[in-house]
Amino acid sequence: MNFGFLKDSEARVSISPSTSEKFIKLGHKVSIERGAGLLSGFPDSDYEGVAFSSRKDLIRNCDILLSVNSSSYGDLSSYKGKILISNFSVEPDRNKIKKELEKHKIIAYDLSMIPRTTIAQSMDILSSMAGLSGYKSIIKAAELLPKIFPMTITAAGSIKPVKVVVLGAGVAGLQAIATAKRLGAIVEASDPRKAAKEEVLSLGAKFIDVEGAVEDSSAGGYAVKQSKEYLAKQKEEVSKRLIQADVVVTTAQVFGAKSPILIPKSIVDNMSPGSVIIDLASSTGGNCELTQDSEVIEHNGIKIVGNSYLSSELSHDASNLYSNNVYNFIDYIIKENKFIGDEDDILSSCKI
Amino acid sequence: MNFGFLKDSEARVSISPSTSEKFIKLGHKVSIERGAGLLSGFPDSDYEGVAFSSRKDLIRNCDILLSVNSSSYGDLSSYKGKILISNFSVEPDRNKIKKELEKHKIIAYDLSMIPRTTIAQSMDILSSMAGLSGYKSIIKAAELLPKIFPMTITAAGSIKPVKVVVLGAGVAGLQAIATAKRLGAIVEASDPRKAAKEEVLSLGAKFIDVEGAVEDSSAGGYAVKQSKEYLAKQKEEVSKRLIQADVVVTTAQVFGAKSPILIPKSIVDNMSPGSVIIDLASSTGGNCELTQDSEVIEHNGIKIVGNSYLSSELSHDASNLYSNNVYNFIDYIIKENKFIGDEDDILSSCKI
Amino acid sequence: MDKFLFLLSAFLLVWGLRLQSDPASASKGNKLASVGMITAIFSAVIMPLENSFSNLIWILAPLSLSGVIGYLIAKNIKMTSMPQMVSIFNGLGGLSAVLLSFAEINKWIIYPETYQLTVVIVLILSLFIGSVAFTGSLLAFAKLDGYRWSEKLSLPFQHIFNLILISVIVGLSYLFITSPDISLLYIIIILSFVYGIFFVAPIGGADMPVVISLLNSFTGITAALTGIIFGNIVMLLGGILVGAAGTILTVLMCNAMNRSLLNVIIGGFSSNNSSKKGKDQGEIKEVSDSDFAVQLFYSSKVIIIPGYGLAVAQAQKLCKEIQEILETNDVEIKYAIHPVAGRMPGHMNVLLAEADVDYSKLIELEQANEEFKSTDVAVIIGANDVVNPDAIDDSTSPLYGMPILKVWESTSTVVLKRSMSAGYAGVQNPLFFKKNNQMYFGDAKESLQRLSSELKNL
Amino acid sequence: MDKFLFLLSAFLLVWGLRLQSDPASASKGNKLASVGMITAIFSAVIMPLENSFSNLIWILAPLSLSGVIGYLIAKNIKMTSMPQMVSIFNGLGGLSAVLLSFAEINKWIIYPETYQLTVVIVLILSLFIGSVAFTGSLLAFAKLDGYRWSEKLSLPFQHIFNLILISVIVGLSYLFITSPDISLLYIIIILSFVYGIFFVAPIGGADMPVVISLLNSFTGITAALTGIIFGNIVMLLGGILVGAAGTILTVLMCNAMNRSLLNVIIGGFSSNNSSKKGKDQGEIKEVSDSDFAVQLFYSSKVIIIPGYGLAVAQAQKLCKEIQEILETNDVEIKYAIHPVAGRMPGHMNVLLAEADVDYSKLIELEQANEEFKSTDVAVIIGANDVVNPDAIDDSTSPLYGMPILKVWESTSTVVLKRSMSAGYAGVQNPLFFKKNNQMYFGDAKESLQRLSSELKNL
Amino acid sequence: MNELLNFLFENEVLIYLLLFTILLGFEVISKVPSVLHTPLMSGANAISGIVILGAIILIRTTESDNYITLILASTALFVGSINVFGGFFVTNRMLEMFNKKKRG
Amino acid sequence: MNELLNFLFENEVLIYLLLFTILLGFEVISKVPSVLHTPLMSGANAISGIVILGAIILIRTTESDNYITLILASTALFVGSINVFGGFFVTNRMLEMFNKKKRG
Ligand SMILES: NC(=O)c1ccc[n+]([C@@H]2O[C@H](COP(=O)([O-])OP(=O)(O)OC[C@H]3O[C@@H](n4cnc5c(N)ncnc54)[C@H](OP(=O)(O)O)[C@@H]3O)[C@@H](O)[C@H]2O)c1
Ligand SMILES: NC(=O)c1ccc[n+]([C@@H]2O[C@H](COP(=O)([O-])OP(=O)(O)OC[C@H]3O[C@@H](n4cnc5c(N)ncnc54)[C@H](OP(=O)(O)O)[C@@H]3O)[C@@H](O)[C@H]2O)c1
Ligand SMILES: NC(=O)c1ccc[n+]([C@@H]2O[C@H](COP(=O)([O-])OP(=O)(O)OC[C@H]3O[C@@H](n4cnc5c(N)ncnc54)[C@H](O)[C@@H]3O)[C@@H](O)[C@H]2O)c1
Ligand SMILES: NC(=O)c1ccc[n+]([C@@H]2O[C@H](COP(=O)([O-])OP(=O)(O)OC[C@H]3O[C@@H](n4cnc5c(N)ncnc54)[C@H](O)[C@@H]3O)[C@@H](O)[C@H]2O)c1
């Protein structure tokens, strides 16, 4: 088949030189929009056996068009009858996009809907990108914080270790925990999922215990919406730690809903100046009341970073992982040049 | 005695709330310029038993005037007959400043001239600040690099560990090594001092061995100027690693001379795009040929940060350590409200 | 001269046995003991005897014949059949004692005056114990070699029956001593044979090594008894030594299996015990601390497969420690990192970096799957789903299709986990029931601690 | 009855000695052995004897008197004087054998016919060995207790002189046997006494424990010899047992000091050996693996002072391991971090973080200096300048005035480093020569490895 | 019974010897790693074949025409020495694996 | 010399006993941690005081008016049993510290 990879409106790219080779080995044709990989450290010259063209030509010549974010497609009307594969979770209104796709007879697969099963993990872009974001959240915090992370006893006095609180110990949260621990911080984390406690402890961090979480294992790994009482209780327990924290990373997302507010303004007001909050849930409203999506604001000397796409700052690694996810997905859904049936679990859950 | 602490032209401050208490305990009077500590996270309200005033009043009322950098003093003529204690190493022309001080009958102590002996280490601002800079150099590199530091094997593919090369394993270099190792990088370092090898190994990093270094133990811990052959040899050995490196941190300084160029443009041209060079020696000319002091430039996609004062980005910890250094110095040189004699080693080497 | 040689042989036997209790010197110990034995045989042949007859051919013929046979058997037997062999040998030792006692008793029947009563009692005891050792060992052999019938010999109320049998034998012996009659002797011998069978019958096949060790100490005791009769002190001492050592060894073996000796002898229910956990999937085997340690110690290549359990136990440093111990003993160690091991991408990397495991020791899935074939032991620490063969074999498994670490291609695998419970995917793992797999249960931290001290003792 | 009691006592003595070789059961072993001894004494008192006389008072009086005296001495002696005490006791044992042999030989002179020649030879041997044990032990005591004169007794060509002395004694003994004359006997005794002194004289004070152990096995041999004479098998066995055990123990003690037995006995130069490294600063003491381990194991609070050497050796993980072992045995562990330890600010923090030492275990200089007074052992691993007392005591030291970790205020200190060489500041450290300090030489990684396995064996 | 007691009293030294031999047997084995259990059992088993000394003595003290006893004793010697020789050889093979590697 | 050889031959069992006792002595001590060296030496020393059995027997077989022998033997008993009792008590004190803590 004929695959076209668009240049995205951000640094990442959905195909790396090594995956392009694999595509070609499978017998597919690969076309890439010019300069698509440049910002990820993949100049066009790194790709071999690949056609480069303008976006217009790309759309004309290819059956399947891929991008990192669906927002990079631009006007959907030009993709009539094509197949689109991308991350559609960035769309503010899902229903609207669905209608539009139907209107243009576009078949679209949303890679953010890959089910969270062991077998599908190699296609799961949310997992792979969340891991990178988690790492970057701590690096960014360290860059912004006027303190160093590790405890240090020197002739010029002793420096206490930085306190990091991570809210939401999913993929991103765990990676943030691991990175902060590596840098020598004291790390505490909270998450309503029962399994999260063991997972947090397995990284050597402390878990902030809150009783009474609603557990729903049928949700396939996504967190379920928690009761009001629970959220209140959690807020109280966590607030204590937050006020003393130097760095807070929040990742708490609830599938298909607005992110819960875990850090109200009142808490931020009580934190010490210089502290840093990294809110990875900002795209769905943010876990901090003051978060502004895609912005860094300062409130009483406290910096609040609202960014759900930190992984794109790690464009090189992110593009590598993303394009592997894409490749694994294609390799799974296309057998002998045909799509496998829609009855397949993974395919059907991705189809918009 | 009557101490006055100026508000600096940068984020750090030369007195912290806790050292101000110690000064007062010793029976000294402490006056601080308004808002001096704000950027270090010390609002005026944190200081107790201290007078706040404008700079003018400060200069009028105090015998001894302190700042983090001597450049913060401004016009020296207003300090006639006073005693100044600061870091004068930032002055571009040492002789000129010396003459000027003499002209105004100002006695000045340069804290950057504290001898590097075990006993004086608690007053050594270069040490304490270099440690912070070393940490920050890696944090900054991690922030700028489009890759993550640690090796990571995931379902979406494997990420190789980042390669870090540290040139100059002094205080800053060692701290950079330690921080990079913590984050999971593969770290190699080079330094002409013999002892440096053992020190690098003691942090679990690799040492790039170069034969034939000139050793001069009488130089009191500062590096001596190396022979041309040595520098050439070192360049060759190191170049191989540099070209493959993702992050390079350079700290090589030679006391009283321009920093050696360790990374000529030709090497930078061969490095891969996306790589980051942090040049901590930029204030004395830089170890990279392309370095621009106090700037971040990009050359073929390679970012080069020239910054010798990274510690001031860690204003909170830096101010704490700096003010402890200052306190320890004062506590050492003033006994029973009198300066100890100039025959003292430490005092005499600081005096300008 | 001969007395001195006997003394020497006694010393050699003791010292040889002593050396055999340490792996480093065991082989030397065995050689020493065999030299001791040959010395003893030689002395017995040359020692001056009253009314001695030169029946040298009657001695040399069986000796040389059995030497050749013994050598041939030992050389050709498979390593895995060793315990069977030992039990047959032991049976032969018992038989030898029976024949000897029988011959002596025969003599007594002919010249009753030349014997003290004590001697006769000792003779009958020796006859009885020898017979039990003989048939018991043969049955043990059959059980070990997996003959089905051998497991079905047990009668109901076996223990009561055995008690009755013993009483009968004692009674008959008393009768025989008071009125010597050769046919009575035959009955005693036959009943003793039967007793030997019934003694072993109720004990489960898995406990056979313990039984053999016990029967071996029985043989030792008969040797000692015969020694008294022939007035030979080396026989006496050697027999007692083996009797004592065998008894202690039996107890140690029971301890290693977490059983008491009584428990083993009463037997019966024990054989179900070991398969209890297996459900219908087959049997699992547990490995003991020191067997595990020795297995690793004498390997040339070991691959460690870390999983989520290693992180939960926070045992990464111990894992590194074991790596280092083994590496200083020239074992090549690698870590096979499965892409989804743990609970976050790169979890194992974080873990092993914390323990400062060198990146060069880490291998990825594809490379690991090539290397397992040349691996002696694959050690799976707290991993489960990532080594589940169903991902390849069973298309109904939720893991089907996931690339997996094919650990079972290594010569043997050992799995460290706390129980038989499932991993993240919630499915049972057929690996645990494979023939070349052994389980090492316990929290990974404690398990590795145990393993480490065991390794240090080697 | 008495025979049975004797048998029992023999068993108790053996078993008691056996239990004494493991710290966990040693105390019980000693009690068992003492019960065995009392049983033996009791049996000797009640056993039936031909031509026995009831001299009970002559037995009970000394027995009870010595029991009281022994108890009082043992109760009041200082722990540090234990080795001296043992050597005195041993001397008394030797004296006892001398007196006994003398009495028997006396009897022989009166009734020469009643004795076999062998017995007389054995008696004189026992007399000689007992005498050597007696005076040798007394000299050993004097050396241990630090009497100056005791170190100066050695003659030039001592070993040649000793050989001559022995020959004379042998010659006189021969003379005596052929023509019994009591005055000859006195000379033999006196010469034996002298030999005992000259045997021990050339051996250095530090080697005394080895000598005592050797003399102790001598006493054991005299006991065995006397046992032959009195036809008492328990004496014989007990004596032989102690003789053998004592010999092995002596060898083990030599091994622990890295010396050979011969080396110790030839002596002379050995005493300088231990002070060689000290130059003019005084003597240093080394601590053995197991003493170090036991010292830590039985402490309640230990503070570790890490320094640059720990980083150089990259032994931080082992350090953590030892921390964990000790903590599971209820030893409180802290790390005292000196601000300038290592080669960069915060070097020790980086190091210990790598080993995942909890921040809460780290204490700073001021707090540490308060806590040392209540600390049992301060363990200094690869640190030097930061624990140099000259920083306080010696105003000419380049370190003078630097705040320092006052480790010497703890009950004892152990320093781990490779040699006596100086640290960064290049000055020698008087701490190493302090009374309560011990050195544990070697690369920190290897040292801690040794310590760790020793700890695991406790 | 009395006869037995007498026997015991007469052989006082022998009793000590037995006691000490048993102790020695215990002592020698008491600390064995479990990997050595099987080879040790096998080795001990070979030693228990010491019973053949009795067979040799019996043969040597039997008149050359007492075929029944000779055959009995000779068979005893034969089977017993299979135990001895086979036992030592088998043990040796088992123990060879421990020689593969020196201590670390 | 001949006499000695005879003695040895006559006491065959005794010789075995001696050999085994020596082996047992070696075996029992062979693995001792060095902290136990001193207490063990002390304990063994107390046992070597077994020589006093000889003194007791001598006293009991001496005529009640043979004062020289009685005094000699009694003194031997006295000094020997100081060795015994003092030795056991001292050893006990030394070993008490090991009871302070159970094994970990
Ligand atoms: N890598 C990721 O990003 C990610 C994210 C989410 C989920 N997952 C899933 O997690 C699984 C990972 O596979 P895995 O093999 O690493 O783990 P796993 O299949 O979950 O198995 C872990 C095993 O460790 C044992 N264990 C737990 N605690 C232990 C302890 N303290 N000591 C010893 N053993 C212990 C458990 O058995 P016992 O209870 O019997 O001890 C369990 O069977 C995959 O199914 C993967 O899809 C991965
Ligand atoms: N912290 C800083 O920022 C900084 C920077 C520069 C200098 N310094 C200076 O460094 C010193 C630090 O004091 P310190 O006590 O940590 O170190 P130190 O005084 O330098 O002593 C370190 C000791 O460790 C021993 N050692 C080295 N390698 C070893 C190994 N592999 N195994 C065991 N022992 C080993 C050495 O003795 P052997 O050779 O006998 O083994 C040495 O005496 C101070 O004088 C300080 O002023 C500190
Ligand atoms: N089986 C697989 O292969 C696979 C792959 C990826 C993820 N997962 C699992 O899926 C789960 C979710 O991962 P994710 O990172 O994508 O989740 P996510 O991004 O949906 O949410 C992030 C985290 O926020 C938590 N959260 C929700 N409400 C919260 C609240 N009020 N307070 C604090 N925390 C709150 C969630 O529990 C979750 O852990 C994890 O258990 C992960 O291990 C499994
Ligand atoms: N005794 C004390 O208390 C104390 C205090 C601070 C520093 N020191 C010691 O002083 C020494 C220097 O420390 P610093 O960080 O201030 O030094 P610095 O800032 O003067 O120089 C940094 C490093 O660059 C190195 N360098 C010089 N020329 C080089 C070249 N051509 N290539 C590569 N590297 C080159 C130097 O050797 C030095 O290690 C270190 O050994 C440090 O441990 C001692």
Side-chain angles (χ1 to χ4, degrees), chain A residues 12 68 87 111-112 114 116 120-136 171-172 175 310-312 314 317-326 328, chain B residues 148 152-159, chain C residues 344-346:
Chain A
R12 289 175 292 175
V68 175
N87 168 16
L111 291 179
S112 73
I114 298 273
R116 315 216 109 178
Q121 212 180 326
S122 63
M123 322 167 192
D124 183 359
I125 56 161
L126 288 191
S127 260
S128 59
M129 295 303 114
L132 296 177
S133 302
Y135 164 85
K136 186 70 186 201
V171 176
Q175 197 64 257
L310 277 179
S311 58
S312 80
L314 296 162
D317 288 340
S319 298
N320 264 325
L321 298 190
Y322 192 100
S323 48
N324 279 330
N325 288 145
V326 168
N328 291 332
Chain B
I148 67 172
T152 311
I153 299 175
T154 75
S158 298
I159 298 172
Chain C
M344 68 170 198

Side-chain angles (χ1 to χ4, degrees), chain D residues 287-297 379 414 416 440 451:
Chain D
V287 62
S288 75
D289 297 352
S290 61
D291 285 343
F292 189 14
V294 168
Q295 207 177 337
L296 292 179
F297 195 79
V379 181
V414 180
L416 285 78
Y440 192 60
L451 177 63

Side-chain angles (χ1 to χ4, degrees), chain B residues 150-155 158 161 181 184-186, chain C residues 337-340 345-346 349 356 359 362-364:
Chain B
M151 183 194 220
T152 311
I153 299 175
T154 75
S158 298
K181 284 251 341 164
I186 292 178
Chain C
I337 311 295
H338 191 282
V340 308
N349 294 103
D356 214 20
Y359 282 151
L362 273 47
I363 55 178
E364 297 184 34

Side-chain angles (χ1 to χ4, degrees), chain C residues 365-426:
Chain C
L365 187 105
E366 297 77 28
Q367 197 192 336
N369 279 340
E370 277 166 26
E371 295 202 12
F372 282 126
K373 288 187 199 74
S374 62
T375 301
D376 297 309
V377 193
V379 182
I380 296 112
I381 311 181
N384 193 340
D385 296 347
V386 300
V387 292
N388 193 328
D390 276 350
I392 298 173
D393 302 335
D394 178 4
S395 60
T396 67
S397 168
L399 296 171
Y400 186 68
M402 181 167 82
I404 220 81
L405 289 165
K406 299 177 188 160
V407 289
W408 55 88
E409 294 185 346
S410 16
T411 313
S412 68
T413 56
V414 180
V415 176
L416 284 79
K417 62 201 298 285
R418 296 165 304 184
S419 63
M420 289 300 289
S421 54
Y424 185 85

